[in-house]
Amino acid sequence: MANTENKPRVTIGVDMYTFFKVTEDTAEGTTYGEPYSLPGTVQVSPTDSGGSDTFDADNGAYDVESYIENIGHELTNADIPAKVDMMWRGRELKNGVAEVGDVTDPPMFAVAWRLLKMDGSHRYVRYYKGKYSFASNVGGQTKPSSGPSEKQTATATFTAVKRDSDGNYYAYIDEDDIPENAKKDFEEKWFSDPNYYPPGAENLKVSDKAAVTSTTKKEG
């Protein structure tokens, strides 16, 4: 009999967008700063794109390589506060004023969020390392004289890079795959430490849909 899976659940929401400054990333390990929660998430859209490259030999397709590139995501938020803007750019507020200037090497961050499914369960996502870039968030549209005002948002782009400690870009886990002994405090730990793995997850079989899935990018 063919193996059947549970019916996939539609994703209907996103929240708990949290980022962490990368303090060190070497072959020996990666460390992060304190978590910073950014409320007001409207949408998170992955920018990953896949492709394949065919190597021809002996007058035909000899080998095919599959790859993923442009790893990262677009964030649409209710707003990006000045303090967060400066953090992502690697600058500081000056007497409360946000000044934008050239930054040759903005800091790296990790980021995590959760997706809500129609059955009430969640998928938890984390990107290990990357940089933010975004257009100015000081524009606006006039408020109409009558009727509801236009709801305006801010956007940012997160471009992921490979973590030096293990070569991974991002990971995710579905709530149904979290080991029972880890469910009680899983969420707290997921959003406080990008290095956290639920105990027992390493024992899941591939046929059981291994809990933590990472992806690597085409080199070259």
Side-chain angles (χ1 to χ4, degrees), residues 56-159:
D56 291 326
D58 295 334
N59 295 323
Y62 189 82
D63 193 16
V64 178
E65 176 188 11
S66 297
Y67 58 89
I68 301 176
E69 56 187 355
N70 301 323
I71 297 175
H73 60 271
E74 297 280 351
L75 168 68
T76 303
N77 213 67
D79 185 31
I80 298 176
K83 180 179 180 179
V84 175
D85 184 326
M86 293 295 98
M87 291 171 65
W88 288 352
R89 295 181 192 270
R91 300 175 66 92
E92 295 182 357
L93 294 173
K94 184 176 181 179
N95 296 330
V97 177
E99 294 181 315
V100 176
D102 292 334
V103 177
T104 57
D105 189 23
M108 295 279 190
F109 292 90
V111 62
W113 65 85
R114 70 176 185 178
L115 300 171
L116 175 64
K117 297 185 179 183
M118 188 167 285
D119 65 350
S121 67
H122 293 91
R123 169 170 289 175
Y124 297 89
V125 184
R126 67 186 180 202
Y127 280 65
Y128 290 117
K129 183 180 178 182
K131 292 186 178 183
Y132 285 96
S133 60
F134 41 93
S136 172
N137 63 347
V138 297
Q141 182 174 335
T142 188
K143 184 180 183 300
S145 58
S146 62
S149 57
E150 180 74 20
K151 304 302 187 296
Q152 299 162 48
T153 58
T155 60
T157 300
F158 180 89
T159 302

Side-chain angles (χ1 to χ4, degrees), residues 150-197:
E150 180 74 20
K151 304 302 187 296
Q152 299 162 48
T153 58
T155 60
T157 300
F158 180 89
T159 302
V161 297
K162 181 171 60 178
R163 189 164 67 167
D164 293 340
S165 59
D166 56 15
N168 289 325
Y169 288 84
Y170 69 86
Y172 65 88
I173 183 171
D174 288 322
E175 188 172 331
D176 291 343
D177 292 330
I178 301 173
E180 284 298 327
N181 65 318
K183 287 185 176 181
K184 182 178 179 181
D185 56 1
F186 170 84
E187 195 165 276
E188 176 185 350
K189 293 184 176 181
W190 186 266
F191 289 102
S192 62
D193 180 9
N195 288 316
Y196 170 72
Y197 289 89

Side-chain angles (χ1 to χ4, degrees), residues 32-62:
Y32 299 93
E34 293 296 316
Y36 191 103
S37 177
L38 178 63
T41 305
V42 177
Q43 184 172 342
V44 179
S45 303
T47 56
D48 304 15
S49 60
S52 61
D53 183 56
T54 302
F55 174 74
D56 291 326
D58 295 334
N59 295 323
Y62 189 82

